Amino acid sequence: HLASRLLTDNSGDREDEKMMISKLKAECGHQFTSRLEGMFADIQISSDLMASFKNQRKDQSNVDINVTVLTTGFWPVHNMEHCTLPPEAKKATDEFATFYKTRNSGRRLTWQTQSGTAEVLCHFKHGNKLLAVQTYQMCILMLYNRAETYTYAQIAKLTNIPDKELRRHLLSLAHPRVKVLKKFPNKKSLAPSHTFTYNYGKQSPLFRIKVPLLKVENDSKEIKVPPSVEEERKNRIEVMIVRVMKTRKTLDHNTLMSEVMKQSLRFSVKPIFIKKRIESLIEREYIERDKNKRGLYHYLA
């Protein structure tokens, strides 16, 4: 959640969040907050980097680009197949990449197009509208500068967006509440021959329109937790264990498990998950087992 707020500049008061991280660092040590501090550092560095980039930019085109450079390991991001950007956007990203390499030789940029956003000025019969969309949706919309209608198969080939993501981004643009695109046949299912036509007659009293993204549909009843979320949950459980042990000093296994389970969690957790985090903390010498009673733990200051 913090990563999302920082990347969308929707974190409210960042000073409050920094203060919370400082308290967490004092309570549980640098190890638990190093990634969070790294995120804030990346945001500040990227802000300064973009200011320098825009000052020296030669091509003052109508494409304004804003890049946040994320350090691998700090952020819960996944590498996905890179989509085909429109020529205008590709030119801007190439220009930034060249600028970045002159300042950071030896570093490699990998574009996370699945995490980006864009604002696209669209022309409609009743006036222009500024659409706030995801990067994938921007790639789709820019195709309509060349033609009014595309099949699903054509859009997939031209954008190179992963199929699962292409489905929900396209259906979001064709949703009845948005209807930037008109789908034929007008139903949720998708086939390679289904067509999407630019809705030139779209009307809205708003100038800036935010296009909501459809939620990911789960293919199975059991939800698979992404590795980055799994890692964050591990850290949260370990923070709780250390906090309880620091207060109580000595606890038996069942009491410690009960204390952690009673904590306010936004996710369900199985006892085996907590047990593994206890074992991990023992290995890293945050707590230790009693030498005479294995089911008893002691906090190590």
Side-chain angles (χ1 to χ4, degrees), residues 146-187:
R146 291 178 263 168
E148 291 187 2
T149 300
Y150 290 94
T151 64
Y152 179 80
Q154 288 173 327
I155 294 174
K157 183 178 180 180
L158 291 169
T159 62
N160 199 34
I161 297 172
D163 184 69
K164 189 175 181 180
E165 291 298 318
L166 179 59
R167 287 174 175 270
R168 69 187 189 116
H169 283 77
L170 257 177
L171 290 176
S172 296
L173 290 169
H175 193 279
R177 293 183 180 179
V178 179
K179 216 161 187 177
V180 176
L181 303 179
K182 293 187 288 186
K183 180 182 181 296
F184 182 83
N186 187 19
K187 53 185 180 180

Side-chain angles (χ1 to χ4, degrees), residues 23-32 239 242-243 246 286:
K23 290 181 179 179
L24 189 61
K25 184 177 180 179
E27 184 78 17
C28 304
H30 172 72
Q31 181 178 350
F32 289 100
V239 168
V242 170
R243 186 183 294 132
K246 188 174 183 180
Y286 281 89

Side-chain angles (χ1 to χ4, degrees), residues 237 253 257 261 269-279:
I237 292 297
H253 178 77
M257 293 284 288
M261 293 288 283
V269 58
K270 295 180 180 179
I272 187 65
F273 188 83
I274 300 175
K275 187 176 179 180
K276 287 182 178 179
R277 298 334 315 146
I278 293 174
E279 295 291 342

Side-chain angles (χ1 to χ4, degrees), residues 67-82:
V67 181
T68 304
V69 181
L70 313 180
T71 303
T72 303
F74 289 159
W75 299 81
V77 293
H78 309 287
N79 288 327
M80 294 182 68
E81 185 178 350
H82 184 60

